Amino acid sequence: MDSAMMCRILASAGLLLALLWDPTEACFCARSHPQTQYCKADVVIRSKFVKGSKDPTIFEIQTTQVYKGSEAMQELRTLHAVPSKAHVFMLPQCFLKPRKGEDYVIAGKRDGNVIKVEYCSFVKPWAELSPEQQSGISQNYRKGCRCPIRPCFRFTCFDKSKCRWDLRSKGREVLNKTCLPEAGTPPRCSWQSLSS
């Protein structure tokens, strides 16, 4: 492979990374639709952070609503923020810094009586979600868990069996939609606007 080809490959990879990573964040995660986060989680709850601990990765929570998982999830009292394989060496500013007493939506994995989240897990203040996202978490995202959401770029967004998320043209608009199955053969999924 000649050096010109190698330069083109590296430039393309750099462009791809720049488009997938949200530059407004101090610590980076690849963009992921809230429905994807909901569907891949074992547990999705609405909780208040009661207090932290000496360990900056362990928090006491009070669960107020269970969106995904059994009602036994209501008893979860501890949240443990663990580094993912991609974020083993997290900087201190990357640690979760929740506001005490504020409602949060938390999507994570259950481990006994603990909910575990990774740095890029969905942990967001309820009040900062749009009404459509609140509706999605409350009732609509679960209906679309068999529909894959795939980030794409303008020229790769043509597979109609999946919901394609064009990160260049409508990245923010799609955050307020839900990917749901359509009737018909072959099976298809499409973006649908939802009201709260």
Side-chain angles (χ1 to χ4, degrees):
M1 182 181 303
D2 67 357
S3 61
M5 176 64 91
M6 183 59 82
C7 286
R8 282 194 294 273
I9 290 171
L10 289 174
S12 296
L15 176 62
L16 181 64
L17 283 173
L19 291 170
L20 283 175
W21 299 91
D22 186 349
T24 62
E25 298 290 328
C27 304
F28 300 115
C29 291
R31 292 181 186 176
S32 181
H33 193 276
Q35 179 175 331
T36 302
Q37 295 275 11
Y38 176 97
C39 293
K40 73 178 185 179
D42 296 336
V43 179
V44 180
I45 57 176
R46 186 168 162 185
S47 296
K48 293 181 186 303
F49 282 85
V50 178
K51 65 181 177 180
S53 68
K54 290 180 182 177
D55 182 336
T57 66
I58 297 177
F59 302 89
E60 183 180 329
I61 58 173
Q62 178 184 4
T63 303
T64 56
Q65 181 79 39
V66 177
Y67 298 113
K68 184 178 181 186
S70 70
E71 284 304 311
M73 302 302 110
Q74 192 78 32
E75 303 305 316
L76 291 175
R77 298 282 181 254
T78 305
L79 179 137
H80 186 192
V82 296
S84 66
K85 291 175 185 159
H87 297 94
V88 172
F89 302 107
M90 290 188 344
L91 300 171
Q93 66 264 30
C94 296
F95 287 124
L96 185 62
K97 293 182 179 83
R99 297 181 287 270
K100 185 177 171 185
E102 189 171 338
D103 275 340
Y104 279 76
V105 174
I106 302 167
K109 303 288 183 192
R110 181 179 183 194
D111 185 10
N113 289 330
V114 174
I115 184 168
K116 289 190 173 185
V117 296
E118 294 180 347
Y119 169 67
C120 293
S121 295
F122 194 81
V123 180
K124 305 281 184 200
W126 179 258
E128 292 179 14
L129 300 178
S130 69
E132 293 84 4
Q133 290 171 335
Q134 291 176 355
S135 175
I137 288 165
S138 299
Q139 57 191 350
N140 295 308
Y141 289 160
R142 77 174 62 96
K143 298 173 191 172
C145 282
R146 69 174 201 214
C147 288
I149 298 172
R150 299 285 187 256
C152 63
F153 302 98
R154 205 166 286 153
F155 55 87
T156 63
C157 294
F158 299 113
D159 183 350
K160 299 296 182 190
S161 66
K162 303 174 179 86
C163 288
R164 296 306 217 163
W165 180 14
D166 187 341
L167 297 174
R168 293 184 61 193
S169 65
K170 53 185 174 180
R172 293 284 177 213
E173 174 190 324
V174 169
L175 289 174
N176 290 322
K177 293 184 178 182
T178 300
C179 180
L180 296 173
E182 292 180 346
T185 305
R188 293 173 48 137
C189 296
S190 66
W191 289 114
Q192 296 184 28
S193 294
L194 302 167
S195 57
S196 55

